[in-house]
Amino acid sequence: MTAIQIDRVSRWFGNVVAVNDITMTIGPGVTGLLGPNGAGKSTLINMMAGFLPPSSGSVTLDGAPIWRNEQVYKAIGLVPEREAMYDFLTGKDFVIANAELHGLGAAAAQKALATVEMEYAQDRKISTYSKGMRQRVKMASALVHEPSVLLLDEPFNGMDPRQRMHLMDLLRQMGAEGRTVLFSSHILEEVEQLAAHIEVIVAGRHAASGDFRKIRRLMTDRPHRYLVRSSDDRALAAALIADASTAGIELDWTEKALRIQAIDFTRFTELLPRVAREHGIRLYTVQPSDESLESVFSYLVAA
């Protein structure tokens, strides 16, 4: 069983702390690394891949240090987010070059290209590829030596729906085979479709870990804030605050609206239109004011 262990790992660049005291284990199956942009996901993946040393703590593969250990590259495949590639090469030549680094030949490269359905464009130069095609040829180069660990940094960026579904099916298959697959994303829906287990990072810190459904429930059940404009804000506020689903209401004079904090999301969404109808109040605006990923993840940090 191949696993990556991250133990009390921090990484800083000058005075900037990118990853702060993170501990986690990434084992067989598909794991989603979830967090808003700038959370530290890429830095963490680069340390798992051996491209960056931790400033403190350790990153190991089955107990062996990853940093400056060339043997780990026999087991690890990386699909980076960055687009830096040899654009003057054809897709086939690019994958062959990676195969040769592992002591393999053209047959391994051809198999990897077929796996990601890039045979039709393998003789074209990478400079002519779309973003989705570049993602797939990077995937082929990472798979060429059939690694037991696959690390993918925002792999679905630029892919059309068909390419996305194909890659998801491929990653599910690899996870079912017992390989260790980790992919990062800042999009909840991508993770929900693919990974049962997730690790959540916010501002360089480990915010949550475990079953996606349980953590998603935390996200749904957290306090929700709404900006509401109506024909009679005072009467609406008086009616809503009497219900247990509403924790607090403020009148925002600048916005000329109510700022409402709801602690029972399902009950509140049923309550608001019913109360407005019963009191003859017209609703002009009902707008969530804290639905960004940053606010969701910040709640998890405090939970």
Side-chain angles (χ1 to χ4, degrees):
M1 186 177 78
T2 304
I4 293 178
Q5 293 86 24
I6 299 164
D7 185 24
R8 303 292 302 273
V9 165
S10 296
R11 172 71 201 195
W12 50 83
F13 301 90
N15 294 325
V16 178
V17 179
V19 171
N20 192 350
D21 196 30
I22 286 181
T23 296
M24 65 175 69
T25 298
I26 309 299
V30 181
T31 298
L33 183 63
L34 184 60
N37 287 323
K41 302 187 300 295
S42 294
T43 300
L44 193 60
I45 287 176
N46 283 332
M47 287 190 284
M48 293 185 208
F51 288 174
L52 276 176
S55 300
S56 65
S58 65
V59 184
T60 58
L61 178 65
D62 292 339
I66 291 178
W67 175 244
R68 289 185 173 171
N69 179 4
E70 63 185 31
Q71 294 303 312
V72 302
Y73 294 112
K74 295 178 181 179
I76 294 177
L78 173 67
V79 182
E81 182 182 18
R82 292 184 62 186
E83 286 296 323
M85 299 174 73
Y86 296 103
D87 284 1
F88 58 89
L89 293 177
T90 65
K92 182 177 180 179
D93 288 340
F94 177 72
V95 180
I96 288 175
N98 281 278
E100 290 176 345
L101 289 174
H102 291 282
L104 303 170
Q110 202 65 54
K111 181 180 178 181
L113 285 162
T115 299
V116 300
E117 297 183 345
M118 277 294 287
E119 292 170 297
Y120 76 97
Q122 65 183 19
D123 295 319
R124 286 171 48 187
K125 288 187 176 182
I126 293 174
S127 60
T128 69
Y129 283 4
S130 67
K131 185 174 179 63
M133 294 168 72
R134 286 170 175 258
Q135 291 287 75
R136 287 153 67 198
V137 82
K138 284 191 294 183
M139 183 76 177
S141 70
L143 292 177
V144 75
H145 59 302
E146 299 187 359
S148 57
V149 176
L150 185 63
L151 307 172
L152 307 100
D153 195 359
E154 299 281 358
F156 301 106
N157 283 355
M159 288 191 172
D160 63 36
R162 191 190 68 81
Q163 294 168 349
R164 188 181 300 249
M165 291 305 300
H166 177 260
L167 179 54
M168 284 188 174
D169 288 342
L170 180 59
L171 296 182
R172 286 190 195 100
Q173 178 185 336
M174 293 177 66
E177 291 170 354
R179 299 201 213 185
T180 296
V181 179
L182 174 83
F183 76 98
S184 73
S185 178
H186 62 283
I187 300 174
L188 290 171
E189 287 73 20
E190 288 180 352
V191 179
E192 186 171 16
Q193 291 180 53
L194 188 55
H197 184 90
I198 66 169
E199 304 287 345
V200 183
I201 296 180
V202 184
R205 291 183 177 274
H206 196 191
S209 175
D211 182 89
F212 179 86
R213 290 173 293 276
K214 293 180 181 177
I215 295 173
R216 188 68 179 89
R217 203 170 302 123
L218 268 179
M219 295 175 179
T220 302
D221 293 346
R222 80 191 198 282
H224 284 64
R225 292 177 175 82
Y226 294 90
L227 185 74
V228 177
R229 294 185 178 90
S230 73
S231 59
D232 192 338
D233 288 343
R234 290 183 182 277
L236 181 62
L240 291 175
I241 199 63
D243 191 89
S245 67
T246 307
I249 300 178
E250 295 179 4
L251 183 58
D252 188 322
W253 294 101
T254 302
E255 295 284 347
K256 296 181 179 179
L258 297 175
R259 292 195 176 274
I260 303 171
Q261 179 170 313
I263 54 176
D264 185 333
F265 171 73
T266 303
R267 181 178 172 85
F268 178 78
T269 55
E270 296 170 352
L271 174 73
L272 180 61
R274 177 166 54 81
V275 164
R277 185 171 59 252
E278 290 173 355
H279 290 77
I281 299 170
R282 295 185 65 184
L283 297 173
Y284 300 130
T285 301
V286 180
Q287 176 183 321
S289 60
D290 65 343
E291 285 302 292
S292 69
L293 281 174
E294 286 79 0
S295 70
V296 171
F297 295 134
S298 294
Y299 173 71
L300 285 176
V301 171

